[in-house]
Amino acid sequence: AQSVTQPDIHITVSEGASLELRCNYSYGATPYLFWYVQSPGQGLQLLLKYFSGDTLVQGIKGFEAEFKRSQSSFNLRKPSVHWSDAAEYFCAVGFLSGGYNKLIFGAGTRLAVHP
Amino acid sequence: DADVTQTPRNRITKTGKRIMLECSQTKGHDRMYWYRQDPGLGLRLIYYSFDVKDINKGEISDGYSVSRQAQAKFSLSLESAIPNQTALYFCATSPDREMRTGELFFGEGSRLTVL
């Protein structure tokens, strides 16, 4: 069955430090992959997406993610974290199922940023 | 003004009561969704609608019903609320049927507490 795993429930980093949030998926073919961010009290916003081609994708707010087929991973990275990046981050996998486009979300990783 | 508006933003109700959550959008999208967010579980799809005449069950539709009153309006109802329906509910829209766009546009969420 298709699934998305985000191994880290909570991560704390210092402002200015680098960040990597992990995401692993289970799917038989190459899925569509997404990272969403949820700021406190807000809905989710798309950070970036991967469909095909270059495995390193750039997103908004200085984020990037790398698709590694051999590891079934799509990790999110940022070289220097800002206090405003504190939020919850969701990885999602999209695929066709039963005739409709299905999106499965991971459980989320909550990021705290220390000054 | 938000493109996807949910009302109410917060609601406390009692077991057995009927509750309706409303969603309206100004994005002109055909597809609308209702998700439920629980800590540690990510987002799970309750219902989705391709257009006014096309409504489909998602992963966790039991205990819920929906109504697509117009292209811009999609309501979620709990006919007889129970405590395990306490959650944060999100409405979302997307512009077309193809997963390649991949982007969902979320409302700010409706927090429901069932006592």
Side-chain angles (χ1 to χ4, degrees):
Chain A
Q2 300 84 2
S3 65
V4 179
T5 302
Q6 294 181 244
D8 305 304
I9 298 173
H10 295 280
I11 284 183
T12 300
V13 300
S14 298
E15 191 168 17
S18 63
L19 171 70
E20 183 170 29
L21 302 183
R22 296 182 292 165
C23 173
N24 293 96
Y25 67 90
S26 173
Y27 182 60
T30 301
Y32 299 135
L33 297 162
F34 309 89
W35 275 100
Y36 281 83
V37 59
Q38 183 182 22
S39 298
Q42 302 295 315
L44 280 73
Q45 180 185 20
L46 182 68
L47 279 177
L48 46 76
K49 57 191 176 186
Y50 171 79
F51 296 140
S52 64
D54 192 347
T55 57
L56 184 64
V57 294
Q58 303 296 320
I60 63 172
K61 305 185 181 186
F63 285 91
E64 65 178 26
E66 186 172 13
F67 169 57
K68 293 186 177 180
R69 183 189 307 275
S70 61
Q71 298 176 19
S72 297
S73 69
F74 188 57
N75 294 349
L76 182 72
R77 300 193 295 248
K78 187 170 185 178
S80 178
V81 171
H82 188 263
W83 64 266
S84 61
D85 293 325
E88 190 157 18
Y89 293 80
F90 293 92
C91 182
V93 168
F95 54 93
L96 282 172
S97 175
Y100 81 95
N101 299 319
K102 189 172 183 178
L103 199 63
I104 291 181
F105 287 86
T109 298
R110 186 171 296 279
L111 174 66
V113 180
H114 281 178
Chain B
D1 291 338
D3 294 325
V4 183
T5 302
Q6 293 183 231
T7 56
R9 294 291 310 278
N10 288 282
R11 176 63 61 89
I12 299 174
T13 191
K14 295 182 179 179
T15 297
K17 293 292 187 181
R18 184 179 187 274
I19 186 81
M20 178 181 286
L21 306 179
E22 298 184 331
C23 177
S24 62
Q25 53 117 343
T26 57
K27 301 192 74 67
H29 291 166
D30 287 330
R31 304 190 76 180
M32 297 187 73
Y33 310 78
W34 277 103
Y35 283 90
R36 167 179 172 158
Q37 184 182 20
D38 297 278
L41 295 179
L43 278 77
R44 293 178 292 168
L45 182 64
I46 306 172
Y47 271 94
Y48 63 101
S49 172
F50 288 173
D51 60 40
V52 175
K53 296 180 180 180
D54 189 356
I55 294 176
N56 304 275
K57 294 182 177 180
E59 305 169 63
I60 53 165
S61 59
D62 288 348
Y64 301 94
S65 62
V66 291
S67 174
R68 185 81 183 265
Q69 301 95 324
Q71 188 210 32
K73 296 185 181 296
F74 193 36
S75 300
L76 177 71
S77 294
L78 289 68
E79 295 300 325
S80 179
I82 56 177
N84 75 2
Q85 291 177 312
T86 294
L88 182 58
Y89 291 85
F90 284 103
C91 176
T93 72
S94 68
D96 59 38
R97 297 168 181 265
E98 297 301 322
M99 181 56 69
R100 284 188 62 83
T101 64
E103 184 166 6
L104 299 178
F105 295 84
F106 285 84
E108 294 182 332
S110 296
R111 185 167 296 280
L112 176 66
T113 302
V114 183
L115 302 177

